[in-house]
Amino acid sequence: SFRLPASAAVLVYREPVYNWQATKNTVKERFAFLFNNEVLSDVHFLVGKGMGVQRIPAHRFALAVGSAVFDAMFNGGMATTSTEIELPDVEPAAFLALLKFLYSDEVQIGPETVMTTLYTAKKYAVPALEAHCVEFLKKNLRADNAFMLLTQARLFDEPQLASLCLENIDKNTVDALAAEGFTDIDLDTLVAVLERDTLGVREVRLFGAAVRWAEAETQRQQYQPTPENKRKVLGKALVLIRFPLMTIEEFAAGPAQSGILSDQEVVSLFLHFTVNPKPHVEFIDRPRCCLRGKECSITRFGQVESRWGYSGTSDCIRFSVNRRIFVVGFGLYGSIHGPTDYQVNIQVIHTDSNTVLGQNDTGFSCDGSSNTFRVMFKEPVEILPSVNYIACATLKGPDSHYGTKGMRKVTHEAPATGTKTCFTFCYAAGNNNGTSVEDGQIPEVIFYT
């Protein structure tokens, strides 16, 4: 039988530079072979800076086919004729990942290189690799890196990634604020987060986190970490902290003694907590509602009448629902005597244990109409299905409108999904100002599903 000489057999298995094409069956294999290879190369890139520079061989045609930026570099009106091109602003590992993708469609990214590869893919206009980088980041998004990735997403103008980071921060606010990357964010990112209505955290903890960020920022700007300088670096972020949502105890123990607020602000906030009608404060008092979806409300009366008087006793109504919801406030009737301010305390009580689950001492202004006026809790109150609760409102003020033709069962249907939330109302015995299923106060419950 015919046998090859041993030396020829060895040649078949070594990667021959001569006639290498014969060993590659597809265009993809032939191009993949040329990646980072001197064979046929007609340009070299000096990538990186200082001691880390790498000389990487490439092929103008392969790069021009994969990227409009390279095409312009080699073939455009201002085309370079140089065979050595310096790229000091690009990381060698990221440039190799870009080339590997252009030569073979292979994606080579890891946690260490994904950000620099994203930068390089954007710089050389290779959207397919950019999409792979963003996909990798989405898969690896966690509470402890959400702030770091949010900063990068904003820097690289990746709105979809930024919005996923913000959603993650909403759901895991406490953990995200505790992560190392939080204090490294820039002021604009801090502002974008503090503006959100959907953060799931007590406001006093948000204030603590903002102070930690301010300490890091004073160091970055080489200021002394005095209260004045912390206020200076916080800038427009300070007014986004919703001090009115704190309890008076939380405010007194933390922000009031921090030195970051002016004496005037501290006094007006203390007055806001303790007197009615409440003086105007510079800070937002809208609750942060760590809930998705749209606000819903139900009305339990068919008609409005006048007059309902107040003597210090609470108006109460017992209710239960068929599914888990979060109550965020009530709609209440206002005065029959024209524009008026009311003092009010609202509560949700768990009937069996008589535990107060949520309450707010506040006030509201009405315009004399028979409309309802919103009074909100400081944070959402979780309501579980088939459990009895009592809604209470204790008003101080003149006679008001009241509702009649009340309904025992009221159903809310979500327009988009058709999901039904059914409320059942019952009389709340005990010390009650007269509100019942048939007539009285607390016409509306405002909630999220």
Side-chain angles (χ1 to χ4, degrees):
S1 64
F2 176 73
R3 288 179 63 193
L4 277 172
S7 58
V10 170
L11 276 178
V12 174
Y13 297 112
R14 209 177 62 218
E15 195 66 86
V17 171
Y18 170 72
N19 198 18
W20 59 268
Q21 297 87 338
T23 67
K24 312 287 173 225
N25 296 330
T26 62
V27 173
K28 185 175 174 182
E29 284 177 44
R30 291 192 279 281
F31 265 85
F33 171 74
L34 294 174
F35 161 67
N36 199 14
N37 195 328
E38 292 291 351
V39 173
L40 298 181
S41 74
D42 55 0
V43 66
H44 285 82
F45 291 93
L46 298 171
V47 187
K49 48 181 177 278
M51 300 297 288
V53 171
Q54 276 188 37
R55 189 167 183 271
I56 297 171
H59 309 77
R60 291 166 186 253
F61 170 71
L63 301 189
V65 167
S67 151
V69 175
F70 283 126
D71 191 14
M73 187 188 285
F74 300 132
N75 308 313
M78 308 284 285
T80 178
T81 52
S82 170
T83 57
E84 296 241 319
I85 295 168
E86 292 182 11
L87 302 176
D89 65 324
V90 178
E91 288 285 329
F95 194 70
L96 284 167
L98 175 78
L99 294 194
K100 190 162 191 70
F101 185 73
L102 292 179
Y103 279 79
S104 69
D105 285 340
E106 279 183 46
V107 179
Q108 204 166 40
I109 41 182
E112 274 67 52
T113 58
V114 62
M115 281 333 253
T116 50
T117 305
L118 177 60
Y119 167 76
T120 311
K122 275 182 125 44
K123 180 179 164 96
Y124 293 104
V126 184
L129 180 59
E130 186 187 325
H132 281 294
C133 291
V134 171
E135 205 46 50
F136 179 87
L137 290 170
K138 284 188 206 166
K139 282 202 181 84
N140 291 278
L141 171 60
R142 302 182 309 275
D144 63 4
N145 64 13
F147 273 109
M148 183 273 289
L149 289 181
L150 176 62
T151 307
Q152 302 285 353
R154 289 166 62 87
L155 183 67
F156 292 128
D157 190 26
E158 291 288 351
Q160 196 198 7
L161 178 61
S163 109
L164 283 169
C165 291
L166 287 166
E167 278 179 33
N168 190 293
I169 291 164
D170 283 347
K171 287 182 190 143
N172 310 292
T173 312
V174 174
D175 292 342
L177 292 173
E180 277 176 37
F182 167 68
T183 52
D184 300 332
I185 64 178
D186 60 278
L187 179 62
D188 286 342
T189 305
L190 180 66
V191 165
V193 171
L194 291 179
E195 281 176 336
R196 291 179 77 73
D197 285 339
T198 40
L199 298 174
V201 66
R202 292 286 307 153
E203 205 67 20
V204 71
R205 290 184 84 155
L206 212 48
F207 174 75
V211 172
R212 271 191 6 256
W213 178 87
E215 281 160 4
E217 183 65 12
T218 50
Q219 275 187 330
R220 285 190 284 270
Q221 297 197 23
Q222 298 179 330
Y223 294 151
Q224 288 295 313
T226 60
E228 295 74 27
N229 284 337
K230 287 179 201 169
R231 181 178 181 120
K232 184 175 170 183
V233 297
L234 278 167
K236 57 190 174 184
L238 184 63
V239 294
L240 298 173
I241 293 172
R242 303 180 185 185
F243 296 100
L245 300 184
M246 298 178 187
T247 65
I248 189 168
E249 294 80 9
E250 287 170 338
F251 179 72
Q257 298 181 44
S258 66
I260 290 174
L261 294 172
S262 69
D263 291 350
Q264 168 89 51
E265 287 163 338
V266 171
V267 168
S268 73
L269 279 160
F270 270 124
L271 288 172
H272 179 83
F273 288 124
T274 50
V275 304
N276 277 304
K278 297 194 174 302
H280 173 70
V281 287
E282 295 302 307
F283 302 98
I284 303 164
D285 60 0
R286 190 170 66 250
R288 290 190 198 270
C289 199
C290 46
L291 305 171
R292 303 295 162 286
K294 283 200 164 41
E295 185 183 280
C296 312
S297 67
I298 53 109
T299 303
R300 65 189 195 91
F301 294 121
Q303 198 170 310
V304 185
E305 301 282 350
S306 54
R307 73 187 27 219
W308 199 259
Y310 302 99
S311 57
T313 318
S314 307
D315 280 285
C316 302
I317 189 75
R318 204 171 73 177
F319 71 97
S320 64
V321 286
N322 66 328
R323 56 198 298 264
R324 179 173 178 247
I325 62 166
F326 292 87
V327 168
V328 294
F330 301 143
L332 301 178
Y333 291 121
S335 170
I336 54 174
H337 301 299
T340 315
D341 287 333
Y342 280 89
Q343 275 176 257
V344 61
N345 169 282
I346 56 169
Q347 296 189 339
V348 170
I349 298 167
H350 181 266
T351 308
D352 292 346
S353 64
N354 205 25
T355 315
V356 177
L357 302 178
Q359 69 122 14
N360 195 10
D361 262 311
T362 179
F364 70 95
S365 302
C366 62
D367 56 9
S369 72
S370 62
N371 297 334
T372 57
F373 299 92
R374 291 159 64 91
V375 181
M376 308 302 274
F377 290 101
K378 289 191 177 185
E379 45 190 26
V381 183
E382 184 181 24
I383 302 295
L384 298 173
S386 312
V387 175
N388 281 318
Y389 298 91
I390 297 173
C392 282
T394 315
L395 283 84
K396 271 192 195 152
D399 291 353
S400 74
H401 294 90
Y402 71 97
T404 62
K405 303 203 170 161
M407 293 164 278
R408 186 168 291 283
K409 283 194 188 307
V410 182
T411 300
H412 175 277
E413 188 168 337
T417 57
T419 308
K420 289 187 174 158
T421 308
C422 304
F423 284 75
T424 306
F425 293 98
C426 303
Y427 182 70
N431 207 0
N432 188 339
N433 191 42
T435 284
S436 66
V437 175
E438 289 72 36
D439 46 29
Q441 256 289 12
I442 319 181
E444 279 180 359
V445 181
I446 305 164
F447 65 99
Y448 281 72
T449 53

